[in-house]
Amino acid sequence: VLWPVGVARLIGYVPGFALLWVLAGASTDTVKQAVGTMILVALAIQLGLRVKPREKLEQGWGWLAGLVGGVTAGAVGMGGPPLVLWVVAHDWPAKQARLFLWASFWFVMPIQIVVLVLMFEPATQLKMTGIGVLTLPIAMVGTAAGLWLGQRIPKRQLRWAMIALLVVLGVSSLVGPMV
C-alpha cells in the first residue's frame, strides 16, 4: 500500500486540494461530469488495450494510479477509481484486492480529514459531519453486505463486478446531472 501507490497518493493530494479550492466555486454537476468522463475514458483505455491481469505491474503504473487517485481524492473526494483500475490490472486473489483497497483508503483518511478541517469553515464541517454520522449505519450495512458477497464471488467475476461498478459510477456521474 505504501510503495509506490501510497506515496504517490500523498503527493497527488497537494495539487488535488489546490484543485478543490478552485472547484469549490464550480457547479457540482460540472465536477460530476468531469469525473464521470475521466472514469469512462480510463476504463475504455484499459479495456481497449486488453490489459491482461498479471501478478505484478511496472512501478510506473503504481505511481500513475496513486498520483491520479490522490489528485481526484483531494479535488472531489473520489480517489478510488484509479486504484480500482490498478487493482483490476493485477491477477490477485479477491481477498488481496479487497485488502489492498481498504488499506489504501484508510492510509490516507487521517490526512484528508485534517486538510478538509483546515480548508472549510466550522459550520460546513459540522453539517458534513452530521450527514456523515447519520449515513454511517447505511454505509456499514452496505460494507457488510459487500464483504459478504465479495467473499462468495470468484476472482474473475469479482474483477468484472469492479469494472461494472466503475461503468455505472462513470455513466451516472456523466449523465446524472442531465437527467
Side-chain angles (χ1 to χ4, degrees), residues 35-44 46-47 78-88 159-174:
V35 170
T37 301
M38 289 187 325
I39 291 169
L40 293 173
V41 166
L43 193 55
Q46 188 177 38
L47 293 174
M78 194 184 295
L83 299 182
V84 171
L85 287 169
W86 188 76
V87 167
V88 166
R159 179 178 185 274
W160 283 107
M162 288 192 292
I163 290 170
L165 184 61
L166 287 175
V167 169
V168 169
L169 180 64
V171 169
S172 66
S173 295
L174 182 62

Side-chain angles (χ1 to χ4, degrees), residues 72-143:
T72 56
V76 296
M78 194 184 295
L83 299 182
V84 171
L85 287 169
W86 188 76
V87 167
V88 166
H90 285 83
D91 187 24
W92 287 347
K95 185 175 184 176
Q96 184 177 354
R98 283 192 309 272
L99 288 172
F100 173 84
L101 290 171
W102 274 104
S104 66
F105 297 144
W106 282 104
F107 168 68
V108 294
M109 189 63 63
I111 296 161
Q112 192 168 7
I113 289 170
V114 167
V115 172
L116 291 173
V117 164
L118 295 173
M119 286 181 72
F120 292 99
E121 59 200 35
T124 301
Q125 294 172 27
L126 187 59
K127 177 183 174 187
M128 293 301 121
T129 301
I131 291 170
V133 168
L134 290 174
T135 58
L136 185 60
I138 296 167
M140 291 175 69
V141 168
T143 299

